[in-house]
Amino acid sequence: ESGGLNRAKVYSIALDSMLSKVGGQDAPRLAPLMRRQSSNPNAHGGQDALRLVMRCVAWLAHTTEDGRGIRDFTSELVERAIRMANTAEFTAHEWHDLVDSQIKRGRLPLMTWIPEEGRDKFRFAHLTFQEFLCAEHILSTFERGDDRVDHERFADELTGLICPRGLTQVFERGWWQQVIQMFSDLARSTEAGTRYAVLLAEKLLGVTAESDNVRLRMVDDRNILTLVSLITDSSLVTSLA
């Protein structure tokens, strides 16, 4: 149920805790930023801005190479994410401060530093952090859409990334499984989010909301094996209760 505790909410709580500790005594230059709360309701405070950037990092890492994705990335990808986030509250300068004061010293459990042949590389400490933040980015992108046309366009873009060579890749490829499931967990908490989840599910399964015989709910841990079996036997799911 929307009010219950699910895996996505657990990850959200864990990330809140991790990011709330950024900018302590070990990072005096970051402390004012992380304490900052914007007076503009449409802008982001320091912690929110950092989370927004981390979502963009996760999205870029997960979708690069035509949706095949990567685990390890450099500061260049993070700086692309900062430009994508388009927030004045967290810039490339703050990122490099974060690297030096927190990440390289192992003080930010979210991120791992990998020195490789004289070049700094990074990765989310566990792939599920990347998957969760990517799911948050997907929901946020749907929410920013103005209308059904925007939502359809983004769902089509996602479908192309998740299964570029056919809809059976939804279940053949492991890279997107957890993202889909955590997006479903996040989206079901609101009526609008449920509509986004159904739209994406219908795109991924090749069915339409207008089909009278179709009742489709988003994939989750409880029904994915049943869903895989149905997809194996039929190209059209007529009912999933």
Side-chain angles (χ1 to χ4, degrees), residues 3 7 17 27 43 46 72 82 94 102 118 121 192 214 219 221 229 239:
R7 185 173 48 161
S17 177
D72 300 342
I82 290 169
E94 278 78 34
Q102 306 275 280
K121 287 191 174 182
V214 174
V219 177
D221 291 338
S229 297
S239 177

Side-chain angles (χ1 to χ4, degrees), residues 163 165-173 204 231:
C163 44
R165 291 188 295 278
L167 295 175
T168 58
Q169 284 193 297
V170 175
F171 301 105
E172 292 170 350
R173 301 175 72 197
L204 293 175
I231 290 297

